[in-house]
């Protein structure tokens, strides 16, 4: 079946603009995770959804970051007033009530 | 206490050799330890995983060795091939308690190059 998909694959934006990143999880997966991967670094956890609910948003790096999930499926990560330090690859993973998390290809965000 | 330390940062191995990547953790509540393989421009792909009640798990050429008392685990790639050249990440899951959301905590990665 189809894996996790993310769009866009690449996004170049100017400092101060808002961006939206989209994640389509594997069908039926109830858990959804967002991670950020900066150059040469490991993956940093941002936020977790179980269904449409995000129990804890403390992983988000600042209040410029927000995320939502609708219909227990698609999720959108929004970054407002982007800064150059937001440049990274944003990865989404989904899971079906088991530890295994399956990652999408990521969105490479470049803030000029 | 939530960190996972991975070494080495980079590794060069000859074709047919054994690649060994090590990880260490501090939080004894971690309950799941996966390894991910990532090729340039792609998302991480789950390679193999182990639970702390098992000391070794083997899948094909890939083996995880787990030492619970030392709080260390390692990935061994036997008969390494040029196609194995990628970045490997170890991770640990914190379970669903004490504010943890079952998210994975990743090491910083090891870039493996297998020379023909």
């Amino acid at each position: 079946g189809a894996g996790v998909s993310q769009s866009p694959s690449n996004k170049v934006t100017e400092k101060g603009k808002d961006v939206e990143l989209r994640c389509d999880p594997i069908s039926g997966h109830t858990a959804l995770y967002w991670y950020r991967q900066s150059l040469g670094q490991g993956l940093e956890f941002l936020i977790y959804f179980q269904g449409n609910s995000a129990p804890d948003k403390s992983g988000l790096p600042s209040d410029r970051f927000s995320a939502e999930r609708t219909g227990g499926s698609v999720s959108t990560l929004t970054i407002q007033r982007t800064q150059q330090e937001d440049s990274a690859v944003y990865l989404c993973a989904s899971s079906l009530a088991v530890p295994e998390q399956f990652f999408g290809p990521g969105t490479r965000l470049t803030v000029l | 206490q939530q960190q996972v330390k991975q070494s080495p940062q980079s590794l060069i191995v000859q074709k047919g050799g054994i690649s060994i990547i090590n990880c260490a953790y501090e939080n004894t509540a971690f309950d799941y330890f996966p390894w991910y393989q990532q090729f340039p421009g792609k998302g991480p792909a789950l390679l193999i995983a182990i639970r702390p009640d098992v000391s070794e798990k083997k899948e094909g050429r890939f083996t995880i060795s787990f030492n619970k008392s030392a709080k260390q685990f390692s990935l061994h790639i036997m008969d390494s091939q040029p196609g194995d050249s990628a970045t490997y990440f170890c991770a640990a899951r914190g379970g669903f308690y004490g504010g943890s959301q079952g998210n994975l905590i990743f090491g910083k990665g090891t870039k493996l190059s297998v020379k023909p």
Side-chain angles (χ1 to χ4, degrees):
Chain A
V4 177
S5 61
Q6 293 185 245
S7 61
S9 55
N10 280 284
K11 177 71 176 179
V12 180
T13 190
E14 294 180 349
K15 178 181 174 181
K17 301 283 189 182
D18 297 351
V19 295
E20 285 190 352
L21 312 180
R22 176 186 168 109
C23 172
D24 281 272
I26 294 171
S27 178
H29 280 197
T30 55
L32 186 148
Y33 298 81
W34 283 97
Y35 294 86
R36 178 169 70 174
Q37 184 174 28
S38 302
L39 186 64
Q41 299 295 309
L43 283 74
E44 171 193 13
F45 167 71
L46 297 179
I47 192 169
Y48 153 71
F49 287 92
Q50 180 60 45
N52 291 336
S53 300
D56 185 346
K57 301 179 181 179
S58 62
L60 296 175
S62 79
D63 59 8
R64 296 185 294 105
F65 288 71
S66 62
E68 65 174 13
R69 189 179 185 195
T70 56
S73 180
V74 172
S75 178
T76 302
L77 178 68
T78 301
I79 309 173
Q80 295 180 309
R81 305 181 302 283
T82 52
Q83 303 294 313
Q84 288 184 331
E85 60 262 29
D86 299 335
S87 296
V89 176
Y90 290 83
L91 290 157
C92 172
S94 71
S95 176
L96 179 62
V98 292
E100 290 83 1
Q101 295 182 22
F102 299 93
F103 282 82
T107 294
R108 180 174 297 277
L109 175 65
T110 303
V111 182
L112 301 177
Chain B
Q1 198 179 20
Q2 287 290 86
Q3 287 185 330
V4 176
K5 295 182 179 179
Q6 183 172 349
S7 63
Q9 280 188 306
S10 63
L11 181 61
I12 300 174
V13 174
Q14 290 296 125
K15 179 182 175 182
I18 302 173
S19 303
I20 302 174
I21 305 170
N22 300 299
C23 284
Y25 64 97
E26 296 180 358
N27 190 339
T28 56
F30 288 153
D31 65 354
Y32 170 72
F33 301 86
W35 285 89
Y36 281 83
Q37 178 188 58
Q38 186 177 32
F39 293 104
K42 304 292 186 182
L46 180 62
L47 192 61
I48 187 173
I50 198 167
R51 298 271 198 180
D53 55 346
V54 176
S55 61
E56 185 175 281
K57 183 174 182 180
K58 183 176 181 179
E59 290 183 1
R61 296 185 294 109
F62 301 91
T63 300
I64 300 179
S65 296
F66 189 86
N67 187 329
K68 189 173 181 178
S69 60
K71 292 184 282 188
Q72 296 175 347
F73 59 110
S74 60
L75 176 70
H76 295 231
I77 306 175
M78 311 299 287
D79 188 25
S80 299
Q81 299 297 311
D84 296 330
S85 297
T87 298
Y88 293 81
F89 292 94
C90 64
R93 188 184 77 151
F96 289 88
Y97 59 89
S100 172
Q101 302 171 61
N103 56 283
L104 295 172
I105 298 162
F106 284 84
K108 292 192 181 298
T110 296
K111 186 173 183 180
L112 172 66
S113 296
V114 182
K115 300 299 184 184

